[in-house]
Every structure is written in C-alpha cells, then in structure tokens.
C-alpha cells in the first residue's frame, strides 16, 4: 500500500433522545410485547457528545483520512452544522441506514449495532480500506496509515486465546447458564462468546483473537466476497432489530478472515485505555487517565456510557478529553 491509497473512517452514531427515534423504538418494543430487554437499555442509544471528540480526534490526529462517513438513522449530529463553513466540511458525509440496508429494508428500523456494523461495507463510495469507529472511540495522539494497514496486511490488536469449549471453567459457566434457563431473546449479549462464534465462521475452531475496543481496520472487498458466498449469514445478522446472542460480530469475523488468508499482522504496541466512568471507582479512573498521559503507547480511548456517570466524574473526564483532543474546530 502506498501513501496515496485512500482510507476512510466510518462512525456509527445514534441520538436516543430524538423523539422520532424514541417513537420508532417504542413501536418496535410494543410489537414484541413491550418489554425492554438489556439490548434496548437507554445507554445504548444515548448521546453525550462523544461523537464530537471522535470526529475531532480523527481530524486532528489522522488528517490522512479521506472521508468520514457518519452512519445514522434519519438523524444529523449537531457537529455537521458547526463544521459546515470550515475546511473540514467536505470530509464529512451522513449515511442513512436505508442506504446500507438497500434490498434489506424489511429489517428497518434497526436499533442493533451488530446489524449496522454488518452492513457498513455497503456504504456507497466507501474506500476499499476503512476504519470503523464506534462514536465513543477516540484517538489520543497522531497515528499513521501504517498503524492500521501495513504492506497490504491489516494491523490488528488483541491476544490469541483458547476458545471456551476447550477451557473447563468456561464450559462449567456455560452449563450453569443453560441450567438457569431464561428467554434467549432477553439474555445478556456476551461479547467474548460472540467473538468466538465469529472466529469459528472464519474457520478458527480452537483459538480466537480476542479483540479490544479500538478503531478496527477493515477491507470492503473481504466482507463483500464473504457475504456473496454466504448470503444467508448476511440476512441472519441483519434480521435482528435488537442485539442478540445469536449474532456474530462482523469486525471480528473480518479480522479472522484476514488472518486465514495471511493478510493480517498482530501488533499491540499501540494500546487502548478502556474507560467506564459509570462503573469504575473514581480514583481508579483517575489513575487510568494518568497512566494514559504518562505512557505514549496509549493511542486510543473508549469512553462507555459517559452520561451515566456522576456529575463530578463527567466533568473530570470531559476536561481530560478537552486537554487530550480539544474542541471541534469552528468556522
């Protein structure tokens, strides 16, 4: 890959406080009995302004990104208006769910990030190589294209682990979960189990790469080719309106497909600081921020459910983001 090869960024975003979005979700829940499962917890749809930091960090620390596609459900983040008369406006493009679900409109509206991620490769005009950001991912320092794509290979982050079926303690936990029973539609959607399922779809039966919360490099043609061969899997993952334990994680599937054909390399020199301000003890959170400041290997941060944190915690974390990333450029 040369320096002229375009790389795009794709950000998934939703504002759950939008009355129209809330009405669509309420109508869906009413049609399924009205019960709100954990997959429909409000924090999955809340907007605490994280996308401002996400976009700003890309503009500041990855200016080589060709275009930033913001994938939404008939919504427009406020930052679009703020950037309208700036040099950055031309980089931003809104992508509606109806564009990426073209031909699969029967599964809309969707409130399911896993379904949406499955369809990102279908964005019209998307570069062959792109980075997927959840809206709570940010860059903390300058990064280069070679941090994600190197000599035609994907640069991936994580650690190889034995799958649960080969680990007695994990198998026992799975048996206990099945013994407890419960409605699978309202079951907790477990991240690691979904990662293992995704690895097996790519042919990795024993080991899998446990992946972290950071920007994911993806290749459009890899997913296009796979789903052309397995249209049933595409339909399956798009069909769930809310996240389900029956779904695979497309970004993890894609990573293992790249490893299977020798087109990926593992490189963990750049790290992620995982921040859960509503759950982590405030002194622990401060220590994590201080460590990220002191260690230049921390290039990414993931800030989950900021709006649920106590006000002092929110203010402290926002001040840190302001210092590390800054505010959106003005006109």
């Amino acid at each position: 890959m040369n320096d002229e090869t375009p790389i795009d960024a794709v950000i998934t975003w939703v504002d759950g406080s939008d009355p129209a979005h809330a009405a669509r979700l309420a109508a869906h829940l009413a049609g399924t009995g009205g019960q709100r499962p954990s997959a429909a917890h409000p924090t999955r749809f809340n907007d605490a302004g994280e996308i401002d930091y996400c976009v700003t960090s890309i503009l500041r620390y990855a200016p080589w990104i060709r275009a930033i596609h913001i994938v939404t459900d008939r919504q427009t983040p406020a930052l679009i208006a703020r950037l309208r008369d700036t040099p950055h406006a031309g980089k931003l493009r809104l992508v509606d769910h109806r564009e990426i679900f073209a031909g699969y409109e029967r599964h809309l509206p969707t409130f399911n990030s896993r379904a949406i991620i499955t369809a990102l490769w279908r964005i019209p005009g998307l570069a062959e190589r792109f980075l997927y950001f959840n809206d709570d991912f940010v860059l903390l320092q300058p990064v280069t294209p070679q941090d994600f794509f190197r000599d035609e290979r994907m640069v991936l982050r994580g650690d190889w682990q034995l799958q649960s079926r080969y680990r007695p303690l994990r198998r026992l936990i799975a048996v206990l979960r099945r013994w407890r029973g419960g409605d699978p539609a309202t079951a907790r959607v477990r991240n690691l189990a979904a990662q293992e399922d995704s690895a097996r779809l790519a042919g990795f039966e024993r080991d899998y790469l446990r992946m972290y919360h950071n920007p994911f490099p993806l290749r459009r043609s890899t997913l296009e080719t796979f789903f052309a061969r397995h249209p049933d899997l595409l339909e399956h993952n798009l069909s769930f309106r809310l996240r389900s334990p029956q779904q695979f994680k497309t970004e993890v599937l894609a990573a293992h497909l790249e490893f299977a054909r020798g087109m990926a390399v593992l490189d963990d020199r750049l790290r992620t600081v995982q921040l859960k301000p509503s759950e982590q003890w405030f002194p622990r959170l401060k220590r994590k921020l201080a460590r990220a400041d002191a260690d230049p290997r921390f290039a990414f941060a993931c800030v989950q459910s900021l709006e649920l944190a106590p006000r002092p915690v929110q203010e402290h974390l926002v001040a840190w983001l302001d210092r590390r990333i800054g505010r959106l450029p003005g006109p």
Side-chain angles (χ1 to χ4, degrees), residues 9 11 55-56 58-59 66-70 77 79-84 86-95 328:
I11 304 170
V55 171
T56 301
I58 295 171
L59 294 174
R66 183 191 68 164
I68 301 173
H69 305 266
I70 301 175
L79 67 91
I80 296 293
R82 292 202 296 276
L83 289 176
R84 184 167 295 134
T86 74
H88 304 294
K91 273 196 173 186
L92 299 180
R93 177 174 181 262
L94 283 178
V95 180
L328 281 167

Side-chain angles (χ1 to χ4, degrees), residues 222-325:
T222 297
L223 291 169
E224 183 177 21
T225 299
F226 179 83
F227 287 125
R229 294 172 178 166
H230 304 282
D232 55 323
L233 291 177
L234 176 62
E235 179 90 38
H236 170 85
N237 237 37
L238 296 181
S239 67
F240 295 90
R241 303 293 180 99
L242 294 170
R243 280 175 54 168
S244 166
Q246 299 177 55
Q247 287 182 291
F248 56 86
K249 292 173 69 74
T250 301
E251 66 274 28
V252 177
L253 166 65
H256 287 83
L257 290 172
E258 299 292 358
F259 272 114
R261 63 193 192 101
M263 295 300 291
V265 59
L266 186 65
D267 187 343
D268 283 326
R269 284 177 291 181
L270 296 183
R271 298 184 177 181
T272 300
V273 56
Q274 183 76 28
L275 303 170
K276 299 181 180 180
S278 64
E279 301 177 18
Q280 292 164 343
W281 190 39
F282 197 8
R284 182 189 176 206
L285 184 73
K286 289 180 177 179
R287 288 196 297 271
K288 290 172 76 75
L289 298 180
R291 184 183 177 195
D293 284 339
D295 189 339
R297 292 175 296 178
F298 283 95
F300 318 111
C302 177
V303 185
Q304 294 184 319
S305 302
L306 176 61
E307 76 286 351
L308 298 182
R311 179 59 59 183
V313 178
Q314 289 190 41
E315 292 174 350
H316 186 85
L317 189 46
V318 166
W320 182 79
L321 291 169
D322 283 343
R323 178 168 56 81
R324 289 299 305 259
I325 299 170

